[in-house]
Amino acid sequence: MRTDLDRPAAIAAVARDLYRNASPAPRALQSLRPFICPFEALLPWVPERGRMLDIGCGAGLFLGLVAQARPQITAIGFDASRGAIAAAQQMALEHFGDERIDFRYSAVEEAWPARPFDAVSIVDVLHHIPVDGQRTVVEQALAHVAPGGVLIYKDMADRPLLKAGWNRLHDLVMARQWIRYRPIEEVRAWVEQAGGTVIHRAARSMGPYAHELLVVRQAT
């Protein structure tokens, strides 16, 4: 069990190891991502044991870190990018042959893995979803959390405008997509109206990127 994943540099070292045999693009991207995404602020909220679902898992870095830090967690991640899922599956096969983490190609509009999960994470996903579907995704994520479990939500902030604009440019270049921010207060209202309780809220800046985090406890 890794207990030192509390700094971007330490997380980046693990990322380099996890993707050392990946093709150049995912290897580089996953090695750099810990310096722009605060994984060290997300990992402490993952329970010690149980089942976990990661929505829009990309190349699987967050679940790879979870598997290192929480040996008693089994997890499923899904994403709509075939290339990202291929990289995630390769990483899981090479490092977690016990099948503790499973990656699947699927979009959020398709059927999700069967509930419930002790933790559900949705990290840097909501701003890629059309505005009229964002609330449904958040509510569905919370509905997949077992009673007493947690929803870990992290997305890019819509303020300050300079940082929001930089991230919008980032996604135009990397994802070829015009992203759609959702104010964190609206997301908070959605989960509370759906019966969840916000137990933690934080904001974080990392270089030119601004992040917002909610941790929501599902009703028992």
Side-chain angles (χ1 to χ4, degrees):
M1 179 176 70
R2 297 291 298 256
T3 59
D4 60 343
L5 300 180
D6 56 354
R7 296 173 295 108
I11 294 171
V14 172
R16 287 192 294 272
D17 179 62
L18 289 174
Y19 296 92
R20 63 178 181 269
N21 294 322
S23 56
R27 183 169 69 244
L29 288 172
Q30 301 314 306
S31 298
L32 292 172
R33 194 167 176 223
F35 296 104
I36 63 173
C37 178
F39 291 112
E40 68 277 8
L42 306 177
L43 285 167
W45 296 102
V46 177
E48 292 292 331
R49 58 184 57 82
R51 299 180 72 222
M52 181 171 176
L53 174 67
D54 189 23
I55 301 160
C57 63
L61 178 56
F62 187 40
L63 287 190
L65 298 171
V66 168
Q68 295 272 2
R70 302 285 191 268
Q72 297 183 70
I73 285 283
T74 59
I76 298 171
F78 70 89
D79 196 275
S81 167
R82 291 188 185 276
I85 287 297
Q89 290 172 337
Q90 179 183 349
M91 178 270 291
L93 181 63
E94 291 179 357
H95 295 274
F96 308 104
D98 56 3
E99 300 181 355
R100 283 193 296 126
I101 52 176
D102 176 32
F103 293 102
R104 305 174 183 181
Y105 169 71
S106 181
V108 294
E109 298 86 3
E110 300 173 12
W112 292 18
R115 65 187 81 183
F117 293 87
D118 300 284
V120 173
S121 55
I122 179 166
V123 178
D124 293 339
V125 172
L126 198 68
H127 62 272
H128 291 288
I129 295 171
V131 171
D132 59 0
Q134 289 177 342
R135 180 168 186 167
T136 297
V137 168
V138 171
E139 290 175 340
Q140 190 171 357
L142 184 61
H144 275 68
V145 179
V150 293
L151 171 64
I152 301 169
Y153 169 88
K154 204 288 287 179
D155 211 339
M156 311 308 295
D158 62 346
R159 294 290 187 277
L161 291 176
L162 183 61
K163 290 180 182 289
W166 175 266
N167 185 64
R168 194 181 295 280
L169 177 62
H170 173 114
D171 278 0
L172 275 173
V173 173
M174 299 300 295
R176 296 181 176 87
Q177 187 178 52
W178 184 257
I179 60 174
R180 307 161 182 89
Y181 293 111
R182 179 65 69 165
I184 194 71
E185 285 300 335
E186 291 188 34
V187 178
R188 178 171 189 156
W190 295 343
V191 295
E192 290 178 339
Q193 290 166 16
T197 300
V198 174
I199 59 174
H200 179 72
R201 176 177 173 178
R204 176 80 64 88
S205 286
M206 298 181 74
Y209 300 93
H211 308 270
E212 292 178 312
L213 166 67
L214 290 177
V215 182
V216 183
R217 181 80 65 192
Q218 178 65 289
T220 56

